[in-house]
Amino acid sequence: MTLLSENTEADMRHRILVVAERLFREIGYQKTTVADIAKLLQMSPANVYRFFDSKKAIHKGVARHLMAEVEQAAIAIVHAPGPAVQRLRDLLTTVHRMNCERYIGDAKLHEMVAIAMEENWDVCIAHMEFITGTIGEVIVQGVASGEFKVADVPQAASCTCAAMIRFFHPQMIAQSFNKERPTLEDMIDFVLAALGAGRRADAQ
Amino acid sequence: MTLLSENTEADMRHRILVVAERLFREIGYQKTTVADIAKLLQMSPANVYRFFDSKKAIHKGVARHLMAEVEQAAIAIVHAPGPAVQRLRDLLTTVHRMNCERYIGDAKLHEMVAIAMEENWDVCIAHMEFITGTIGEVIVQGVASGEFKVADVPQAASCTCAAMIRFFHPQMIAQSFNKERPTLEDMIDFVLAALGAGRRADAQ
């Protein structure tokens, strides 16, 4: 019975987040009320508050969900076969592409992200650390295969992530939207050079 | 006589900007009115409007002045003697340090910058292009001296500038304020590696 009720609770939390995300996309985060979310779920606002103690908590849940999708895609690339150089390219491209889709194509979602970055900063930091971790795993693989030449992997991973801010960070993507240079490919080549990729070619 | 009146006009514009910057720092951009600026200069608001057609135009002038100081420091480093590697370190460190002083130490000035980035985006873009240009000049010198190994200098300069966003961009500096990694030194080492500095040591 306990397991059943736990499942029901997880299911309810999930349903609330799905509806909330839909409303945040359709009418915006600011304009969405807990009453709107409850109404669509055909329940009372008091019932929603049984699962999330504030609209901010719902917001945090939606932000986590959006970030978790990017994290899952990143993990899949870490465990994929193939050379580390190519997988690092894939990983950096995927994070950029998914963040563009999420936060740039959708102006209302962008509003939600801007607020997330002010109010749920810990969720954003945890996400960045997760992505930095996946970058570090690919770098470790590349060092093992001789593709990268890196002395301090965590440092190289944090520098890689920082170097990509223009292509990862929702606000920076939005500000750079019409900038021609550098392209994503230029930037990834630059990062790969910093990681020592291509030096083997020099030595040939 | 024409020259004299031009000088007087430039002088008046300068005096207005100095007073405006002081008020923006002391009471904030939003709260400062053109009437406040005029009062401190012991003139009428109408007279201020002879030189700047709006508060926004004054704002733009103040932002330009703050950015010009950084640009002058950057130019001095481009023309200084010494190895390009060391001067690129100095240049990247100086831009970071000056932007920190300007936009982080001073919360009221930070408000002004946030508004500048929304309203006077062209001024910010021109500034970034200028800084990217000075980075490019040092890279050219480093390629000539054999310190850097770069095929496309404008591309390398734009990637260097983008890689440093976490340390250059006022909003990113503010958001990263408590982040331990990467340090400025880590990031500069990473950029130098991407530019091929240190490869000579590998070849020894």
Side-chain angles (χ1 to χ4, degrees):
Chain A
M1 287 301 284
T2 309
L3 192 62
L4 183 66
S5 63
E6 276 176 6
N7 280 340
T8 308
E9 181 167 339
D11 180 56
M12 271 309 302
R13 289 176 62 89
H14 178 70
R15 284 177 58 204
I16 291 167
L17 293 180
V18 168
V19 165
E21 183 179 329
R22 199 179 109 197
L23 286 170
F24 293 168
R25 282 179 192 270
E26 286 173 6
I27 63 176
Y29 173 73
Q30 301 274 26
K31 287 186 183 165
T32 300
T33 64
V34 173
D36 295 331
I37 296 167
K39 196 177 171 188
L40 264 182
L41 289 162
Q42 295 181 300
M43 60 170 66
S44 67
N47 203 25
V48 173
Y49 282 118
R50 279 180 53 213
F51 299 97
F52 292 96
D53 62 8
S54 62
K55 183 177 153 187
K56 185 178 166 181
I58 297 175
H59 179 204
K60 190 171 178 172
V62 170
R64 266 305 307 149
H65 172 68
L66 288 165
M67 290 169 183
E69 287 179 340
V70 181
E71 292 167 9
Q72 283 157 20
I75 283 285
I77 293 169
V78 170
H79 296 299
V85 165
Q86 186 53 48
R87 279 182 302 110
L88 190 59
R89 279 190 193 281
D90 290 348
L91 177 52
L92 303 180
T93 304
T94 297
V95 175
H96 172 63
R97 186 177 45 74
M98 291 184 81
N99 284 359
C100 282
E101 282 168 9
R102 275 166 175 63
Y103 309 124
I104 305 307
D106 198 322
K108 292 230 187 309
L109 215 51
H110 184 64
E111 177 208 348
M112 198 198 84
V113 171
I115 296 166
M117 303 201 69
E118 283 170 27
E119 295 190 357
N120 285 311
W121 193 222
D122 57 332
V123 176
C124 299
I125 288 177
H127 174 62
M128 286 187 287
E129 285 175 356
F130 189 96
I131 295 298
T132 304
T134 59
I135 290 170
E137 288 187 61
V138 178
I139 293 175
V140 165
Q141 295 163 4
V143 169
S145 66
E147 291 168 82
F148 298 140
K149 195 169 177 181
V150 166
D152 181 334
V153 171
Q155 181 177 308
S158 72
C159 287
T160 298
C161 204
M164 297 300 298
I165 286 182
R166 182 203 172 300
F167 297 94
F168 284 3
H169 191 297
Q171 286 171 284
M172 294 300 100
I173 296 175
Q175 283 182 14
S176 309
F177 201 55
N178 293 316
K179 276 190 78 180
E180 289 176 15
R181 302 189 85 135
T183 66
L184 177 66
E185 289 68 33
D186 292 344
M187 201 67 222
I188 293 176
D189 285 342
F190 189 81
V191 163
L192 288 171
L195 298 173
R199 288 195 195 174
R200 290 190 308 164
D202 291 346
Q204 279 171 2
Chain B
M1 287 301 285
T2 308
L3 191 64
L4 183 65
S5 63
E6 277 175 7
N7 280 341
T8 309
E9 180 167 340
D11 180 56
M12 272 309 300
R13 289 176 61 90
H14 178 70
R15 284 177 58 204
I16 291 168
L17 294 179
V18 168
V19 165
E21 183 179 329
R22 199 180 111 196
L23 286 171
F24 293 167
R25 282 179 192 269
E26 285 173 7
I27 63 177
Y29 173 72
Q30 301 274 26
K31 287 186 185 165
T32 299
T33 64
V34 173
D36 294 330
I37 297 167
K39 194 176 172 187
L40 265 182
L41 288 162
Q42 295 180 300
M43 58 170 68
S44 68
N47 202 27
V48 172
Y49 282 119
R50 280 181 50 213
F51 299 97
F52 292 95
D53 62 9
S54 62
K55 183 176 153 188
K56 185 178 164 179
I58 297 174
H59 179 204
K60 190 171 176 171
V62 171
R64 267 304 308 149
H65 172 68
L66 288 165
M67 291 170 183
E69 287 178 341
V70 181
E71 292 167 9
Q72 283 157 17
I75 282 286
I77 293 168
V78 169
H79 295 300
V85 165
Q86 186 54 48
R87 279 181 303 112
L88 190 59
R89 279 190 194 281
D90 290 348
L91 177 52
L92 303 180
T93 304
T94 297
V95 174
H96 172 63
R97 186 176 46 73
M98 291 184 82
N99 284 357
C100 283
E101 284 168 8
R102 276 168 175 60
Y103 308 126
I104 304 307
D106 197 321
K108 293 229 188 308
L109 214 50
H110 184 64
E111 176 208 348
M112 197 199 84
V113 171
I115 295 166
M117 303 202 68
E118 284 169 27
E119 295 189 356
N120 286 311
W121 194 222
D122 58 330
V123 175
C124 299
I125 289 177
H127 174 62
M128 286 187 287
E129 285 176 357
F130 188 96
I131 295 299
T132 304
T134 58
I135 290 169
E137 288 187 63
V138 178
I139 293 175
V140 166
Q141 296 163 2
V143 169
S145 65
E147 291 169 81
F148 297 141
K149 195 168 175 181
V150 166
D152 182 332
V153 170
Q155 182 177 308
S158 72
C159 286
T160 297
C161 203
M164 298 301 299
I165 285 181
R166 182 202 171 302
F167 297 94
F168 283 4
H169 191 296
Q171 285 171 285
M172 295 300 99
I173 296 174
Q175 283 183 14
S176 308
F177 201 54
N178 292 315
K179 278 190 79 180
E180 288 177 15
R181 300 190 83 132
T183 65
L184 177 66
E185 289 68 32
D186 292 344
M187 201 66 222
I188 293 176
D189 285 342
F190 190 80
V191 164
L192 288 172
L195 298 174
R199 287 193 195 176
R200 291 189 306 164
D202 291 348
Q204 278 171 3

